[in-house]
């Protein structure tokens, strides 16, 4: 209800962050420092490592940072906490964009794939931060929050076997496909049903996004995402532009 989405990946990660803020509030904390923006600025995401040309990498990085959005502030506020993000602060972000290149951020270094494991040579991002802050986790593999927390299990169909049968998933997915929705898994079906119950059929109660006719907009939900946005925050489709998907 707070995020107004049904994308499983974002919700799984947000559940973990929300749990942290809830616990912090129970302990009496009023402020929290977050790492939002570090992956975007310093090549933390593995899909950015594929861009070997420094100019192309910079263009991709700068474009991503120009459009970044984070739900942390909203999640923290729900629990009476003020979130502070040093990396998204204007001066920090501007410095990073003006003064860091691919070579500063991405390199092959000895890292641990698991806690306490042996070091192996592995391509990795955020090198500039790993070198600046020597901690027990400085040279560990980059994993999504949902992986480290165990929330990934929610995205697996067996987790929902007592709530949604295989037959129900197949039937519902076909029916929703006729309405222009792509349902990827049982988790997505459960999320979608809750989302539609909360915001009405086709999200009619949403105020920040508009649904377009079937065959237009995002490939996964038909909501308007403009002409340049490649990721749909609502349903999680990527690439979300129909021009980028063969056969649409």
């Amino acid at each position: 209800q707070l995020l107004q989405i049904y994308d499983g990946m974002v919700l799984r990660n947000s559940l973990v962050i929300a749990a942290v803020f809830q616990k912090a509030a129970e302990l009496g904390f009023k402020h929290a420092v977050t790492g939002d923006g570090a992956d975007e600025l310093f090549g933390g995401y593995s899909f950015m490592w594929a861009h070997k040309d420094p100019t192309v990498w910079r263009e991709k990085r700068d474009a991503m940072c120009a459009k970044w959005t984070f739900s942390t502030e909203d999640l923290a506020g729900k629990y009476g906490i003020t979130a502070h993000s040093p990396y998204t602060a204007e001066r920090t972000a501007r410095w990073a964009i003006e003064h860091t290149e691919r070579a500063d951020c991405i390199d092959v270094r000895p890292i641990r794939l698991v806690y306490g494991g042996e070091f192996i040579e592995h391509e990795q991002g955020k090198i500039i931060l790993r070198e600046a802050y020597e901690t027990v986790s400085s040279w560990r593999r980059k994993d999504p929050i949902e992986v480290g927390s165990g929330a990934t299990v929610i995205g697996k169909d067996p987790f929902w076997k007592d709530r949604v049968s295989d037959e129900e998933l197949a039937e519902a997915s076909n029916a929703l496909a006729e309405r222009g929705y792509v349902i990827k898994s049982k988790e997505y079906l459960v999320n979608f049903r809750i989302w539609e119950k909360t915001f009405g059929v086709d999200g009619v109660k949403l105020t920040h996004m508009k649904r377009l006719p079937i065959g237009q907009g995002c490939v996964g939900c038909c909501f308007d995402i403009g002409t340049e946005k490649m990721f749909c925050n609502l349903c999680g489709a990527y690439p979300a532009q129909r021009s980028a998907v063969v056969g649409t």
Side-chain angles (χ1 to χ4, degrees), residues 160-204:
W160 302 99
K161 62 182 178 62
D162 295 330
R163 184 164 178 174
V164 179
S165 67
D166 293 343
E167 294 74 19
E168 182 181 359
L169 174 63
E171 182 179 346
S173 296
N174 290 333
L176 287 169
E178 294 180 359
R179 293 173 52 194
Y181 293 100
V182 175
I183 300 299
K184 305 175 184 179
S185 65
K186 292 181 180 180
E187 177 199 29
Y188 269 82
L189 179 58
V190 172
N191 289 346
F192 177 84
R193 286 173 169 172
I194 295 173
W195 172 83
E196 197 163 52
K197 181 179 180 180
T198 303
F199 298 105
V201 176
D202 292 333
V204 68

Side-chain angles (χ1 to χ4, degrees), residues 4 64 74 102 158 165 190 196:
Q4 302 183 9
M64 179 167 52
D74 291 335
R102 187 187 191 282
S165 67
V190 172
E196 197 163 52

Side-chain angles (χ1 to χ4, degrees), residues 45-61:
Y45 297 122
S46 58
F47 64 80
M48 288 294 290
W49 308 345
H51 302 296
K52 304 299 183 182
D53 183 290
T55 301
V56 173
W57 182 86
R58 172 183 272 277
E59 291 174 351
K60 297 287 185 180
R61 188 272 303 272

Side-chain angles (χ1 to χ4, degrees), residues 31-247:
H31 297 267
V33 178
T34 74
D36 289 342
D39 285 311
E40 289 79 2
L41 286 170
F42 302 118
Y45 297 122
S46 58
F47 64 80
M48 288 294 290
W49 308 345
H51 302 296
K52 304 299 183 182
D53 183 290
T55 301
V56 173
W57 182 86
R58 172 183 272 277
E59 291 174 351
K60 297 287 185 180
R61 188 272 303 272
D62 294 357
M64 179 167 52
C65 292
K67 300 176 181 178
W68 62 20
T69 58
F70 301 98
S71 59
T72 312
E73 186 174 347
D74 291 335
L75 290 171
K78 181 175 177 58
Y79 297 100
I81 290 178
T82 301
H84 304 274
S85 176
Y87 299 113
T88 60
E90 183 181 354
R91 291 178 61 186
T92 306
R94 185 171 66 249
W95 178 89
I97 289 173
E98 292 178 354
H99 298 287
T100 61
E101 304 290 344
R102 187 187 191 282
D104 300 310
C105 304
I106 301 171
D107 199 3
V108 175
R109 297 292 180 85
I111 69 164
R112 287 189 172 108
L113 297 183
V114 296
Y115 180 73
E118 295 183 2
F119 282 99
I120 66 169
E121 294 290 320
H122 195 281
E123 189 169 37
Q124 203 57 211
K126 295 192 290 190
I127 297 300
I128 190 172
L129 294 183
R130 293 173 185 273
E131 292 179 336
Y133 302 104
E134 285 288 345
T135 71
V136 67
S137 62
S138 295
W139 298 101
R140 64 175 288 268
R141 177 178 61 185
K142 153 71 179 175
D143 283 319
I145 295 172
E146 64 168 282
V147 173
S149 67
T152 299
V153 67
I154 300 175
K156 308 297 183 182
D157 278 357
F159 182 86
W160 302 99
K161 62 182 178 62
D162 295 330
R163 184 164 178 174
V164 179
S165 67
D166 293 343
E167 294 74 19
E168 182 181 359
L169 174 63
E171 182 179 346
S173 296
N174 290 333
L176 287 169
E178 294 180 359
R179 293 173 52 194
Y181 293 100
V182 175
I183 300 299
K184 305 175 184 179
S185 65
K186 292 181 180 180
E187 177 199 29
Y188 269 82
L189 179 58
V190 172
N191 289 346
F192 177 84
R193 286 173 169 172
I194 295 173
W195 172 83
E196 197 163 52
K197 181 179 180 180
T198 303
F199 298 105
V201 176
D202 292 333
V204 68
K205 297 179 183 178
L206 291 178
T207 57
H208 71 295
M209 292 188 74
K210 176 184 178 182
R211 193 162 198 259
L212 302 177
I214 296 176
Q216 298 181 30
C218 169
V219 297
C221 62
C222 298
F223 273 80
D224 186 4
I225 56 171
T227 59
E228 298 183 4
K229 194 173 182 181
M230 293 303 291
F231 176 77
C232 177
N233 296 93
L234 177 63
C235 74
Y238 181 87
Q241 294 291 342
R242 293 181 183 273
S243 59
V245 180
V246 177

